[in-house]
Amino acid sequence: MEILRTPDERFADLPDFPYEPRYVEVDDLDGGRLRVAYVEEGPEDGETVLLLHGEPSWSFLYRRMIPVLTAAGLRVVVPDLVGFGRSDKPAQQGDLSYARHVEWLRQALFDRLDLREVTLVCQDWGGLLSLRLVGEHPDRFARVVVANTGLPTGDHPMSEAFLAWQRFAATADRFDVGRVVQNGTVTELPAAVVAAYDAPFPDDSYKAAARVFPSLVPTRPDDPAAPANRAAWEGLTRFDKPFLTAFSNGDPITGGGDRVFQELVPGARGMPHTTLAGGGHFLQEDVGPELARVVLDLIASTPAPPAG
C-alpha cells in the first residue's frame, strides 16, 4: 500500500487549534503500518469523550467544543481518520474500503488507546464508522450522541442531496476540501479556517480518501458493507445505554435521520433529543459550543456506573 504523510509544516499556525498531536500505529491490513493521529486534552482521570469527525474534515472541526468539554473536567480524545488530518493517507482509492476503515478505527481506539466507558460524539462518517463499533462492541461505550449522521444499509433510498454529493466527489475536476466544508456550514468561515481544512492535502494525490468516501456509503442492498451494517443495527437495537440525537436544523444530507435512531435504539427512548438551530451539515462550526453543552448535560444527567 502506498502511503502519503502530510508534512508537519502544513499544520503550523492553525487558528484556535494549539493542540499537539499524538500518534498510534495500526496494521494497514496489507502488510504495513499506518500512523493514526489524535488529540488528547483534559485530565487523564476524567470521563472520556470521543469526538469523531467525518468527510472531508479532521479533528480541527472540534476546536470550538474541546475547550468547553475540558473545562468541565472531561478527558477529550479526537482522532483523525485514516486519510484525513495528520493521519497517514493511502494514495490509491482501491486500498480504501468501509471495512478497512472500521478495522483501522477499532485498532486505534481499542487495541492501542484501550478506550473504555466512552461517551461518543459522532458526525458524518464519524458515525458511519463508530456506530459500527457501538453495534459490535457495546461494552466499550457509556453513552452516544449522534449528530448529522447515520448507519445506512442500502435498503432505503438516499436523499437526492446525498446522491448529488456522491456524484460530485467522484467526478469533479477540482475537489477543494476547504470549500466543501464552507458549503456545508451556515456561517461564513474566515479564510484561515478554510485554509486549515485544506492543510492536510498539499495536492490532489493526498485526497484519495476524501474523494472515495462518498462512494463507500451503501446505497444498494448488495453493497459490500451492507451485511456488516445490518448486523451492527441488530446490536444497536439492543443498545440500552443513553443514546441522544442532536442533529442540526439545516442539513439537507442527513435531515430526518435522527428519527430512525429515536425509534429503533432502546437507549434513545425518553431521552431529551434536541435539534440545534442555526447549524448546517458541519454543525460543529456553526453551533459547536451548543453541541458541547448538550454533551455536558447528557453526562451530568446520566452518571456512568462505577468501574468493575
Side-chain angles (χ1 to χ4, degrees), residues 98 102 105-106 110 120 122 126-144 146 150-151 227-241 243 261 265-266:
Y98 200 136
V102 171
L105 187 62
R106 188 202 64 76
F110 301 160
L120 168 67
C122 58
L128 271 73
L129 298 175
S130 64
L131 292 173
R132 277 275 295 271
L133 298 180
V134 175
E136 296 166 3
H137 306 276
D139 56 304
R140 292 277 183 162
F141 297 90
R143 311 171 189 84
V144 176
V146 291
L151 186 63
N229 280 19
R230 292 188 194 105
W233 265 112
E234 291 180 14
L236 289 173
T237 60
R238 297 188 295 271
F239 189 83
D240 59 3
K241 301 172 191 176
F243 194 106
F261 294 112
V265 180

Side-chain angles (χ1 to χ4, degrees), residues 146-199:
V146 291
N148 293 358
T149 190
L151 186 63
T153 61
D155 297 310
H156 306 284
M158 301 294 282
S159 69
E160 180 52 41
F162 173 77
L163 295 176
W165 158 239
Q166 192 179 55
R167 290 190 296 269
F168 172 84
T171 63
D173 291 336
R174 292 187 58 182
F175 191 84
D176 295 329
V177 169
R179 185 178 299 174
V180 168
V181 176
Q182 174 64 89
N183 289 343
T185 62
V186 173
T187 50
E188 185 70 23
L189 302 179
V193 170
V194 174
Y197 285 112
D198 286 323

